[in-house]
Amino acid sequence: MPKTSAASKPRLALSLQTGSGIAGWPVHRSRLRRWVAASLARDAAIVLRLVGGREARALNRDYRDRDYATNVLTFVYESADAARADIAICLPVLEREARTQRKTLEEHLAHLVVHGVLHAQGMEHDSADDAQRMERREREVLRRFRVPDPYAWRAAGFGRRGDLGYSRPTRTTR
């Protein structure tokens, strides 16, 4: 996939998967595609996989040495021509966090998709400055879809930053 010029939209190859015991995505494929496309600054090949708690826990344990299910994991593959990544979103954690943070399931899913895609393009939140840049970009993208500020719940006292469980393990392929 060649890089895009400044005047053209990034190209997207998107695959959707569901893990064992997951009936399907809670939103239509076209909506997922729009969220991913709006997050892109370059061409991309993205796999979105909706998983259950057992699979999310195994992935988090095997790739991050953390023995619990987390909400989103982004596996980035090195590529010079496009952003390439597998993004696993854990449905039970997504549902629990949406309730806790008083968001709709769709709003929280949009946020996790955008968050994962930004990681796929190299954005991080390891430092306060990086986190601020990433959160600003998330808000910009989500605003286009009328999704409220995904971090407003923090100001309302629903938890600490670390409660989100965002993570991005890296797997290098050649």
Side-chain angles (χ1 to χ4, degrees), residues 49 73 90 92 128 165:
R49 182 171 175 82
L73 290 163
C90 180

Side-chain angles (χ1 to χ4, degrees), residues 91-108 153 158:
L91 182 58
V93 174
L94 169 73
E95 292 169 333
R96 184 182 71 242
E97 288 179 347
R99 278 191 310 275
T100 300
Q101 297 170 22
R102 298 191 176 130
K103 301 175 182 178
T104 68
L105 185 66
E106 186 172 327
E107 288 168 348
H108 197 40
W153 64 272
F158 291 118

